[in-house]
Amino acid sequence: MVEAIGDLEREIDELDNEIDISKEDSELAAETARRVELLYDVLSGLREQQALIIEADIERYRLWLDGVSRAIRKHGLDELTGDRDEVERYCSTMEKLVDGGRHERVINNDRFTLATIDNKLRAVDEKMRRSLDHEAHTRMCLGVYESLLDEIHESVAALSEENPRRTSHASDLRTVKQHLKDATAALDRDANEKAAVEARTALAGAQMLHYVLVRDRSDQRVAERLAAIIQDTGLNVDCDVSDCEASGDVTTLINGMAEAIGGEVKLSKEARLRKLLSEHDGDVIRTAEATDFDLPSILDHLEQLYSDDQIDKIVIEFST
């Protein structure tokens, strides 16, 4: 993908320096513009994927933080308010960045990251476990779990029926729900220590499932977008687009698009070289000196041009 971008930049530079625009130049410009637009669509899809993941990760931490805050207020754990307020500042800052469309600042923040929030919340939770009785901590964990459950169900439903991860995540969700049932049953029989263990396991499982589902759901959405671009533009990619769309296989689609665009750039480069050789009377040395093509590159393309009957003959002259 990076190589294709570089080749397109060189094409644009050459076109920008043209004074006499021929029909061939115009066609090249149109093709270059089409490929630039394709690359823009791919990069836009990747930015969307990144934004979806960041927003969902922040939301997961917000739900956890809100649950911790409720427990601190309810049980008067004033000694934890300072730690809680620190996490609140971090989380609020991240939310403001996202609201302003500055998702890249969440990743490139030089003061703290999402991992910082995760570590701080775990530290607060550990202190809370030592301060609360088993029943109180169980109910705090179950409250956060319930707040995550709707988003988990929504994410599973967003996956295609043909997406194998939908089935595997449904199985994972049943396992997490079993821990919830075990925690509730333990509470009912006053086995509060057992309930706390099961509740923490249920919450940790729900958080991990949410983390994975967010990424799978964003893959599904971006795969659908890339598949639509491929179909709309008629780009000839070497993969089964329908299968990739159904399974949310973004990587294969992107690689296929990059190879297809790169192949078009290569064909375009050969057309450019043929034009440049013509402008320099077929002299390879003069063409290399006057353009960004180096001699080995020209010789490689000459062989292909000759094979494709784009040039009649190759003449080698020895200097005396």
Side-chain angles (χ1 to χ4, degrees):
M1 187 67 71
V2 173
E3 182 181 353
I5 292 173
D7 287 333
L8 285 172
E9 288 177 344
R10 283 188 288 274
E11 282 189 12
I12 292 169
D13 287 341
E14 285 184 12
L15 288 167
D16 191 47
N17 292 327
E18 285 286 346
I19 297 176
D20 298 321
I21 305 298
S22 64
K23 179 182 178 182
E24 188 177 33
D25 291 329
S26 297
E27 292 173 350
L28 175 58
E31 276 300 300
T32 301
R34 188 181 73 86
R35 290 194 297 272
V36 169
E37 186 175 351
L38 276 171
L39 283 171
Y40 175 81
D41 287 337
V42 172
L43 294 175
S44 295
L46 293 177
R47 282 195 297 271
E48 178 186 9
Q49 181 184 36
Q50 183 185 68
L52 290 170
I53 290 173
I54 289 172
E55 290 168 11
D57 283 350
I58 292 174
E59 177 63 15
R60 184 173 60 256
Y61 290 127
R62 166 54 68 188
L63 294 174
W64 191 7
L65 176 58
D66 287 348
V68 166
S69 297
R70 286 192 297 270
I72 288 175
R73 290 193 301 269
K74 181 177 180 179
H75 299 285
L77 302 178
D78 296 339
E79 69 276 14
L80 297 182
T81 55
D83 294 331
R84 187 276 316 276
D85 290 346
E86 181 183 23
V87 182
E88 176 63 44
R89 286 194 297 273
Y90 292 159
C91 200
S92 295
T93 298
M94 294 294 193
E95 288 167 338
K96 288 177 182 176
L97 290 172
V98 165
D99 289 343
R102 301 164 65 192
H103 295 78
E104 74 285 350
R105 292 281 292 132
V106 173
I107 298 174
N108 301 322
N109 196 304
D110 55 2
R111 292 175 51 233
F112 56 86
T113 64
L114 290 174
T116 305
I117 296 176
D118 185 85
N119 291 333
K120 294 285 185 182
L121 270 170
R122 292 184 188 281
V124 173
D125 183 66
E126 182 61 32
K127 291 179 181 179
M128 185 175 292
R129 285 169 57 185
R130 294 196 295 267
S131 301
L132 293 175
D133 59 43
H134 292 307
E135 180 182 359
H137 194 261
T138 296
R139 297 194 183 282
M140 189 277 290
C141 290
L142 295 183
V144 178
Y145 170 93
E146 291 292 345
S147 66
L148 278 171
L149 197 56
D150 286 343
E151 293 195 25
I152 289 174
H153 282 147
E154 185 179 326
S155 293
V156 171
L159 298 179
S160 165
E161 293 284 353
E162 294 81 16
N163 193 324
R165 286 171 285 187
R166 177 175 180 138
T167 302
S168 64
H169 292 323
S171 175
D172 294 336
L173 182 55
R174 285 193 295 271
T175 300
V176 170
K177 285 183 174 181
Q178 185 58 54
H179 286 293
L180 171 67
K181 291 179 181 178
D182 292 343
T184 303
L187 275 180
D188 289 342
R189 62 177 187 269
D190 293 328
N192 293 337
E193 185 173 358
K194 167 70 172 174
V197 172
E198 293 293 344
R200 287 196 298 271
T201 303
L203 176 56
Q207 289 172 326
M208 179 55 68
L209 188 54
H210 183 274
Y211 174 91
V212 175
L213 273 167
V214 162
R215 282 144 182 82
D216 289 344
R217 183 179 182 180
S218 67
D219 281 351
Q220 182 79 66
R221 183 165 171 177
V222 174
E224 291 169 357
R225 174 172 176 170
L226 295 180
I229 292 170
I230 292 170
Q231 292 161 1
D232 291 345
T233 60
L235 189 66
N236 185 22
V237 296
D238 188 21
C239 63
D240 190 316
V241 176
S242 296
D243 282 353
C244 290
E245 178 182 7
S247 62
D249 190 351
V250 173
T251 301
T252 299
L253 285 176
I254 289 177
N255 289 340
M257 294 180 76
E259 290 176 6
I261 295 170
E264 290 187 356
V265 170
K266 181 179 178 181
L267 292 175
S268 175
K269 286 175 72 174
E270 290 172 353
R272 287 162 54 212
L273 178 58
R274 183 171 178 272
K275 175 177 178 293
L276 291 168
L277 284 168
S278 177
E279 291 175 354
H280 294 88
D281 301 322
D283 192 311
V284 171
I285 300 298
R286 285 172 54 197
T287 301
E289 291 174 346
T291 70
D292 65 335
F293 282 98
D294 57 27
L295 192 56
S297 177
I298 292 176
L299 294 176
D300 286 342
H301 285 296
L302 276 178
E303 182 179 355
Q304 187 61 50
L305 287 169
Y306 183 74
S307 299
D308 294 340
D309 294 325
Q310 296 295 309
I311 53 178
D312 293 330
K313 60 183 177 179
I314 299 175
V315 177
I316 301 175
E317 295 183 358
F318 296 94
S319 60
T320 57

